[in-house]
Amino acid sequence: MARLLSAPSRSGRVTHVEHVPARQAGQAGWPEWAPDVLVSRLENQGISGLWQHQLDTAEHVRRGQNVIIATGTASGKSLAYLLPAVADVLAGGTVLYLTPTKALAADQLRAVRALRLAQVRAATFDGDTPAEERPWVRQHANYVLTNPDMLHRSMLPGHARWSSFWRRLRLVIVDECHGYRGVFGSHVAQILRRLRRVCGKYGSRPTFLLASATASDPALAGARLTGLEMAEVTTDASPRGSATFALWEPPLTDLRGENGAPIRRTATAETADLLTDLVVEGVRTLAFVRSRRAAETVALTARRNLEEISPDLPSQVAAYRAGYLSDDRRALEKSLRSGSLMGLATTNALELGVDVSGLDAVLIAGWPGTRASLWQQAGRAGRAGQDALAVLVARDDPLDTYLVHHPEALFGRPVEAIVLDPDNPYVLAPHLCAAAAEIPLTEQDLEIFGPAAPDVLDDLAGRGMLRKRTTGWFWTSRGRACDLADIRGAGGAPIQVVEAATGRLLGTVDEPSAHMTVHSGAVYVHQGETFVVDLLDLDSDVALVTAAEPDYTTYARDITDIRVAESIRMRPFGPGELHFGSVEVTQQVVSYIKRRTQTGESLGEEPLDLPPRTLHTRAVWWTLPDLALAPLMADTDGKPVDLGGAAHAAEHASIGLLPLFATCDRWDIGGVSTQLHQDTGLLTVFVYDGHDGGAGFAERGFARAVDWLSATQEAIASCECEQGCPSCIQSPKCGNGNEPLDKAGALRLLGILLGSDTRPE
């Protein structure tokens, strides 16, 4: 498989190849307490015993000790929790299984039902569960598979209807818990605290078993997520085939983009070509991409390429993403398991542990945000123990550029910590209201919700959201308190995407994303069909689209204003200062640009009229005084440094690099830079969390500022362009048209800040 990377037709280049050796392991056998009937059914499936890490995890649960297992992909974590879970059910208890995705819940349901144990009545309870089946699940199921959304909006508010289930609840499984980070993770943390409180009402105290990809300090992460002490199991004793991991950099093209910047061939175009080659060679391949649109584009391009080779091949490639209707998702999952699909382009909707064996290769189009996700995605190949190929294809982005030239940042490094902040008042407040609506809050309950709870409760009572009485706090509104918390950060009702000519519902998009993805004029792709948005009606929560075949994609742009509310922490930083604090950000999508699909060539910009959005959040910012900037005012190569352009370029690049240190996505954060900010009176560069109340990302940047900004400087310096390009200092969402930008000035500005400034020759 690896030889395909060196095919003469390939214009990109491999910057690094890492060989991961195979690992052999021995089995530990079955625990003495494992029910004979369960062992028999597992052995009938070809499972002859547990690996040591599975046994250790199961033994922790058996002793009633909360535990997190954090091992690699395909290490058998599901068996580590399946054994104690089924044993608890056979002993008369109930089990609650939580997963971030419906696909994983459906996959685990198949695994439980495959045991064919009549005493185990397993059922999913999610948005796809028909209304007529839900009463049976509540009354009879003893192994319920659901997601945090349903727990938050249905099971906890309606806890009385689940009373029999709660009374017998022995085990709560929180699968793929490394996905619960940032604001979403903080919401889930509060939902789990509400769950513990409801269980207490019915006299149960379940054990929590968390399953995670490899993570830094998993016991601490598990404790922050659940509010409970955690044991950890981190030594992976499973066998593994060898793997080849390549870093791939697309070439710079002769095309020119904004302000004459060179354009690198897109990661989606490179990935589509690589996927085509692998399918032709009979290599079963997953291509992971960053967005819904990219998944559709890669699949569509690969199918067109394959059509030119053989009319039988295009049907072997498809796209899979969140937002599909449930029947579409299930059909694609079935085709992938059966082997009728050879190539699948997917978003992270299929990143999590859906059991798909027999895959040979994984293509990753762009840095997926964390090392944990990178290894999670790469680990999908070779899941049956065979050798595997994984390729990270760099996007036109500062972080991707840095990584393909600094493989040491990927290989041999521990994965990131799971960053979340359950005490964020914007997260905590709605969950305290929801908890009070479920069961009136008392002083004794406050310990469950953390140290910030008393102050937040006082604020809620002062605003009339809760009523305080001598016995506690009460929810008195007729509305549903759970509606106050939008746990996935969507910020409003989802926007329905509807085909104007037929009224057909194509899918949904969350409201904030709608401003960026289904604005008027946007290109929207659904299952290989391309549409152009005619109208985005935010009042009616609908986007009307018309089928079309444009040869371009669209990218929304926004402008941002920022005011400092409070500097919480400050320290000297070189000749300047580094701050972390509260800010008010006003953001507005103002236009979109069109880029030719295959080349990235800019085709122009169109204005938009969308309302501004304001958020109160946290930011990290640095300032430099005029005295420190004096050396930059001298001529450099015949012209002075453009301070505003230098700060702007440093801001763009630092936004691109922060995800390497803060476990976030580039689109989770934003930035503002100015030569003279009204609140600081100095040259200032801000990077802020893109969520109300903050998400912990900016705070992480404050803590890792030297490493973060040094990597930013190195990423700019390692890009071979002369004046700046999307691989280093240009941003696809810059509302100022990526002007002004000064690449050389940014390097010197960061050099002064970091104490490493050297005047260019």
Side-chain angles (χ1 to χ4, degrees):
M1 290 184 288
R3 63 182 172 80
L4 294 172
L5 300 179
S6 57
S9 60
R10 291 280 149 259
S11 55
R13 66 191 181 104
V14 175
T15 61
H16 179 79
V17 175
E18 189 82 8
H19 296 288
V20 182
R23 179 179 61 215
Q24 302 297 323
Q27 288 185 309
W30 300 109
E32 293 182 0
W33 49 263
D36 291 340
V37 63
L38 176 57
V39 170
S40 174
R41 297 297 166 84
L42 290 171
E43 289 180 341
N44 288 341
Q45 295 180 7
I47 301 170
S48 56
L50 300 182
W51 309 116
Q52 188 63 51
H53 62 283
Q54 296 170 325
L55 179 61
D56 292 344
T57 303
E59 292 288 5
H60 279 299
V61 174
R62 187 67 175 177
R63 293 192 296 267
Q65 186 172 18
N66 305 305
V67 61
I68 178 169
I69 176 173
T71 54
T73 308
S75 60
K77 289 188 287 287
S78 59
L79 187 56
Y81 55 70
L82 184 63
L83 186 72
V86 173
D88 278 341
V89 169
L90 294 177
T94 60
V95 170
L96 180 67
Y97 171 91
L98 290 173
T99 170
T101 68
K102 296 175 184 177
L104 185 52
D107 190 71
Q108 289 300 314
L109 179 65
R110 282 189 294 271
V112 176
R113 288 182 172 172
L115 296 172
R116 301 187 181 279
L117 295 170
Q119 305 98 309
V120 180
R121 298 182 296 278
T124 54
F125 190 77
D126 57 31
D128 293 342
T129 305
E132 61 272 16
E133 293 182 13
R134 296 187 180 193
W136 184 92
V137 177
R138 285 192 291 265
Q139 295 166 21
H140 302 291
N142 51 20
Y143 196 123
V144 173
L145 304 96
T146 188
N147 52 57
D149 310 76
M150 288 298 285
L151 190 59
H152 164 62
R153 299 187 62 85
S154 178
M155 296 178 72
L156 293 178
H159 60 84
R161 292 182 293 175
W162 292 83
S163 58
S164 176
F165 182 84
W166 301 131
R167 286 192 185 97
R168 296 179 293 133
L169 186 60
R170 300 273 189 89
L171 179 63
V172 176
I173 302 164
V174 184
D175 204 359
E176 304 292 348
C177 69
H178 59 277
Y180 298 132
R181 62 179 189 264
V183 171
F184 178 45
S186 301
H187 278 294
V188 173
Q190 292 299 342
I191 292 169
L192 294 179
R193 285 155 174 76
R194 287 165 48 200
L195 169 63
R196 289 169 48 204
R197 184 167 171 265
V198 165
C199 289
K201 172 181 172 61
Y202 293 97
S204 65
R205 191 176 179 181
T207 301
F208 281 75
L209 190 166
L210 279 57
S212 169
T214 51
S216 174
D217 204 349
L220 178 61
R224 288 181 67 79
L225 190 62
T226 62
L228 298 167
E229 288 189 10
M230 285 275 152
E232 65 177 45
V233 175
T234 58
T235 301
D236 190 342
S238 63
R240 180 185 63 198
S242 64
T244 299
F245 204 128
L247 305 182
W248 180 276
E249 184 175 43
L252 287 173
T253 68
D254 294 331
L255 296 169
R256 289 295 178 263
E258 206 161 41
N259 308 321
I263 295 175
R264 197 175 294 279
R265 192 162 190 259
T266 65
T268 52
E270 294 280 291
T271 300
D273 286 354
L274 289 168
L275 180 61
T276 301
D277 291 348
L278 290 164
V279 170
V280 169
E281 293 289 328
V283 178
R284 290 186 63 192
T285 306
L286 274 180
F288 282 106
V289 296
R290 297 294 307 280
S291 68
R292 296 177 173 190
R293 178 171 57 196
E296 303 284 5
T297 300
V298 166
L300 188 60
T301 303
R303 284 199 294 264
R304 287 172 177 168
N305 293 342
L306 292 166
E307 180 70 38
E308 297 176 1
I309 299 171
S310 168
D312 298 327
L313 290 176
S315 62
Q316 297 182 24
V317 175
Y320 182 106
R321 60 169 175 78
Y324 279 179
L325 302 179
S326 60
D327 290 346
D328 297 331
R329 292 198 307 270
R330 301 292 176 259
L332 285 170
E333 291 163 19
K334 183 177 180 180
S335 297
L336 188 59
R337 282 193 302 276
S338 70
S340 61
L341 278 179
M342 290 298 296
L344 189 69
T346 178
T347 61
N348 63 2
L350 205 65
E351 170 188 326
L352 306 180
V354 178
D355 185 17
V356 182
S357 60
L359 295 179
D360 305 305
V362 166
L363 305 173
I364 303 170
W367 170 245
T370 65
R371 294 184 195 90
S373 288
L374 180 76
W375 290 108
Q376 184 84 351
Q377 293 179 0
R380 299 309 301 274
R383 285 177 73 91
Q386 75 271 33
D387 296 343
L389 171 69
V391 184
L392 172 63
V393 182
R395 288 178 304 153
D396 221 358
D397 177 274
L399 179 52
D400 290 49
T401 300
Y402 177 82
L403 290 172
V404 295
H405 291 285
H406 294 80
E408 69 279 3
L410 291 178
F411 303 109
R413 289 281 188 94
V415 296
E416 307 85 353
I418 301 171
V419 178
L420 60 133
D421 180 15
D423 296 325
N424 178 338
Y426 288 87
V427 171
L428 179 56
H431 287 287
L432 288 174
C433 289
E438 289 153 9
I439 309 164
L441 283 164
T442 66
E443 291 281 355
Q444 290 72 32
D445 293 326
L446 300 190
E447 184 179 355
I448 292 178
F449 293 99
D455 289 342
V456 175
L457 276 173
D458 288 343
D459 178 66
L460 290 170
R463 289 190 285 145
M465 301 284 288
L466 294 178
R467 181 172 297 176
K468 186 175 183 181
R469 296 174 179 162
T470 55
T471 54
W473 291 265
F474 292 76
W475 173 258
T476 58
S477 170
R478 292 185 178 180
R480 283 168 50 89
C482 62
D483 290 341
L484 297 174
D486 177 17
I487 72 170
R488 295 191 186 255
I495 303 297
Q496 294 187 319
V497 183
V498 176
E499 187 174 17
T502 65
R504 176 169 61 121
L505 175 64
L506 301 178
T508 61
V509 180
D510 63 80
E511 195 268 339
S513 296
H515 289 235
M516 304 291 288
T517 59
V518 289
H519 55 76
S520 297
V523 174
Y524 180 81
V525 186
H526 175 75
Q527 289 192 336
E529 297 180 77
T530 308
F531 301 84
V532 173
V533 179
D534 301 320
L535 174 70
L536 171 60
D537 187 340
L538 294 172
D539 293 329
S540 301
D541 300 324
V542 66
L544 298 177
V545 302
T546 297
E549 294 188 3
D551 63 348
Y552 60 85
T553 56
T554 51
Y555 296 84
R557 294 187 140 173
D558 58 19
I559 56 173
T560 306
D561 181 56
I562 193 165
R563 297 298 305 268
V564 175
E566 179 188 11
S567 176
I568 298 171
R569 292 199 289 278
M570 183 278 289
R571 68 173 187 263
F573 200 78
E577 293 179 346
L578 183 73
H579 293 255
F580 168 72
S582 301
V583 295
E584 180 182 281
V585 178
T586 303
Q587 191 174 35
Q588 184 175 20
V589 174
V590 294
S591 64
Y592 66 96
I593 57 172
K594 299 178 180 178
R595 286 185 179 170
R596 204 173 296 282
T597 304
Q598 286 299 310
T599 66
E601 179 185 4
S602 177
L603 300 177
E605 185 170 359
E606 300 290 338
L608 290 171
D609 183 19
L610 288 167
R613 303 174 59 85
T614 299
L615 71 151
H616 301 272
T617 186
R618 300 292 178 89
V620 55
W621 65 94
W622 51 268
T623 63
L624 282 172
D626 292 343
L627 184 62
L629 298 172
L632 300 186
M633 303 313 295
D635 285 358
T636 301
D637 293 334
K639 63 177 182 179
V641 168
D642 178 344
L643 287 178
H648 194 193
E651 171 221 325
H652 282 180
S654 64
I655 290 171
L657 268 292
L658 183 57
L660 187 61
F661 303 92
T663 325
C664 64
D665 186 279
R666 177 175 183 160
W667 302 92
D668 288 331
I669 53 179
V672 174
S673 59
T674 176
Q675 186 173 343
L676 181 67
H677 191 267
Q678 57 188 324
D679 294 327
T680 67
L682 300 168
L683 181 145
T684 309
V685 174
F686 295 87
V687 176
Y688 61 86
D689 293 344
H691 303 272
D692 264 327
F697 307 139
E699 187 171 17
R700 190 78 170 175
F702 179 85
R704 299 287 306 278
V706 173
D707 294 337
W708 165 39
L709 295 174
S710 296
T712 299
Q713 186 183 33
E714 290 177 27
I716 298 172
S718 65
C719 184
E720 68 264 40
C721 74
E722 293 183 10
Q723 303 296 324
C725 70
S727 293
C728 55
I729 61 172
Q730 288 191 344
S731 169
K733 58 178 185 174
C734 178
N736 295 314
N738 281 300
E739 288 187 331
L741 292 175
D742 186 336
K743 179 178 179 178
L747 286 171
R748 293 203 61 199
L749 190 67
L750 289 166
I752 288 172
L753 184 70
L754 295 164
S756 60
D757 178 44
T758 56
R759 184 183 177 87
E761 296 295 332

